[in-house]
Amino acid sequence: MNCLLCNGPVAAKLTIRELIWPGSLVMPVVCSKCRQQFMPLEGEQRCPACCRLQDASQLCPECRCWRQMYSWKLTHQALYCYNTAMKEFMHQYKFAGDYRLRAVFAAEFTAAIRQKRAEVVVPIPVTQATMATRGFNQVTGLLDGVKLTPCLQHRTLEKTAQSHKSRRERLQTPQPFALSGPAADLAGKRVLLVDDVYTTGRTLYHAADLLYQAGAANVISISLAR
Ligand SMILES: [Zn+2]
Ligand SMILES: [Zn+2]
């Protein structure tokens, strides 16, 4: 087995459990050198609402804006920093469309989602245009066997690039989503929203707003990177 990212050899270090029960063997798909390039978001120096790395454990400026804009609070967990290695990974996975790369994080991301014990798991959808070119939803691609409720769909064809806008403009874009399917199923439920990358939070706040309108009791969110 070669590393999915650098194609170098992957040396599997077997645990005692794996030696005794080979059935429990989980083959690594990435070498340790590549694995080390990804930076887990852990520790106290993060915003408690969005996991942004910073000097203190207070709300970051963006989350303070969100709290003024909405009557509810969204607590977000991100597993990894969106650093150079993660950007490169996302580029290969999403834009070069290498679906094999889902295997790099699927087990870990799925485990983190199961830990949340949400009653309903809602993935952020891709637009029809993205689906036509990429051929898969990069969010659901990162999950293994999670029961999903895909009750969101894009209202507009394609959103404009976020990178050209100021922070204020990015926080005030119109609602890009509409509810599809049996929205009543959300009434009184604890909902987990799943995205691949958290940038400003704009996408997730729009989505959470709709889910609360549909009667969700509580909405939290998770992403692979931030
Ligand atoms: Zn490697
Ligand atoms: Zn924050």
Side-chain angles (χ1 to χ4, degrees):
M1 172 85 206
N2 285 354
C3 173
L4 276 178
L5 299 177
C6 72
N7 211 30
V10 175
K13 277 192 204 140
L14 296 187
T15 64
I16 297 212
R17 183 186 151 83
E18 286 166 341
L19 286 169
I20 297 172
W21 291 288
S24 68
L25 187 65
V26 180
M27 286 304 288
V29 293
V30 170
C31 74
S32 57
K33 212 172 139 196
C34 286
R35 175 65 69 181
Q36 281 166 16
Q37 307 296 314
F38 298 108
M39 183 183 157
L41 288 173
E42 295 163 339
E44 297 297 306
Q45 308 290 75
R46 292 177 301 156
C47 170
C50 73
C51 289
R52 177 198 184 118
L53 285 175
Q54 52 185 18
D55 291 338
S57 58
Q58 303 155 344
L59 278 186
C60 73
E62 271 169 15
C63 285
R64 283 203 292 270
C65 279
W66 294 128
R67 297 253 163 127
Q68 285 171 1
M69 220 178 280
Y70 292 101
S71 57
W72 39 265
K73 295 172 184 173
L74 186 67
T75 303
H76 181 80
Q77 184 193 356
L79 269 51
Y80 286 93
C81 177
Y82 194 53
N83 62 6
T84 308
M86 186 57 86
K87 278 179 197 157
E88 175 61 18
F89 169 82
M90 285 295 175
H91 182 82
Q92 286 301 321
Y93 173 53
K94 286 162 73 167
F95 302 110
D98 189 348
Y99 193 64
R100 294 175 312 152
L101 294 187
R102 62 185 295 284
V104 176
F105 292 107
E108 189 181 355
F109 197 38
T110 298
I113 283 165
R114 291 202 196 286
Q115 266 187 13
K116 300 286 184 195
R117 301 196 179 281
E119 292 169 284
V120 178
V121 179
V122 179
I124 294 296
V126 293
T127 62
Q128 286 185 340
T130 300
M131 198 54 145
T133 50
R134 189 175 299 156
F136 61 91
N137 176 333
Q138 73 276 0
V139 181
T140 57
L142 290 170
L143 310 176
D144 262 337
V146 178
K147 183 175 174 283
L148 298 171
T149 304
C151 62
L152 295 174
Q153 62 177 39
H154 274 273
R155 289 199 317 166
T156 46
L157 270 175
E158 195 64 70
K159 63 182 176 183
T160 45
Q162 296 245 329
S163 48
H164 301 299
K165 297 177 184 169
S166 69
R167 176 194 282 170
R168 193 183 166 83
E169 283 171 333
R170 277 182 287 150
L171 299 188
Q172 289 183 333
T173 54
Q175 173 63 260
F177 301 118
L179 284 166
S180 65
D185 289 356
L186 298 173
K189 296 280 171 61
R190 287 176 289 112
V191 182
L192 174 64
L193 270 168
V194 187
D195 206 353
D196 53 348
V197 181
Y198 182 111
T199 309
T200 62
R202 180 63 279 179
T203 303
L204 287 167
Y205 276 84
H206 271 317
D209 196 29
L210 271 185
L211 300 177
Y212 275 119
Q213 284 173 34
N218 178 251
V219 182
I220 57 173
S221 57
I222 192 168
S223 64
L224 179 64
R226 199 268 184 250

